[in-house]
Amino acid sequence: MLTMEKTADYVKRWVAAFESKDLDRVLAFYTDDVIFHSPLVARLSHDPSGTVRGKGGLRAYVAKGFEVFDHIEFTVLDVLRGVDSIAIHYKGITGTHVVEVLFFDRDGMVRESYVHYASPQ
């Protein structure tokens, strides 16, 4: 089970990696066979499945996101802990509320991620 201290440190490092726009730093959080689900995948890659498989696919997706968005800033609003997962509720790049659920393997690497965006009002 993840402790509050380890979770807080992890989220701080995860956010900092994305905000740095350092691709290798971001990818260091994920397993080689990661599965990543996001509506933004469908939008940026024109893949209606919204799913990226493998670190190579995730690399291409994140690199595209870094090209499209000049500035990346996440404001963490809440973090919820599970047995082998965390859910990060944050205000994302466009000001939209996002909940990202990260599932970890035994080594603490993200093996699967589900990203959820608030519906437009």
Side-chain angles (χ1 to χ4, degrees), residues 2 6-7 9-15 18 26 28-31 34-38 58 74 76 78-90 98-105 108-116:
L2 300 163
K6 284 184 180 180
T7 302
D9 177 65
Y10 181 90
V11 171
K12 184 178 178 180
R13 291 183 297 109
W14 183 85
V15 167
F18 275 94
V26 169
F29 287 91
Y30 299 89
T31 63
V34 64
I35 303 171
F36 186 88
H37 311 272
S38 171
L58 186 59
F74 296 157
V76 176
D78 202 0
V79 178
L80 293 86
R81 294 177 298 121
V83 175
D84 66 346
S85 63
I86 60 174
I88 307 168
H89 176 202
Y90 59 93
V98 180
V99 173
E100 188 154 348
V101 183
L102 307 172
F103 293 88
F104 299 99
D105 70 4
M109 305 288 289
V110 178
R111 63 179 169 78
E112 194 158 8
S113 177
Y114 288 83
V115 185
H116 306 79

Side-chain angles (χ1 to χ4, degrees), residues 36-90:
F36 186 88
H37 311 272
S38 171
L40 195 54
V41 169
R43 191 173 121 201
L44 292 181
S45 69
H46 308 292
D47 179 350
S49 75
T51 299
V52 172
R53 295 182 184 280
K55 196 177 267 190
L58 186 59
R59 175 180 289 279
Y61 164 70
V62 173
K64 178 71 172 174
F66 286 170
E67 288 174 19
V68 171
F69 299 103
D70 293 334
H71 180 72
I72 294 178
E73 183 176 344
F74 296 157
T75 302
V76 176
L77 302 171
D78 202 0
V79 178
L80 293 86
R81 294 177 298 121
V83 175
D84 66 346
S85 63
I86 60 174
I88 307 168
H89 176 202
Y90 59 93

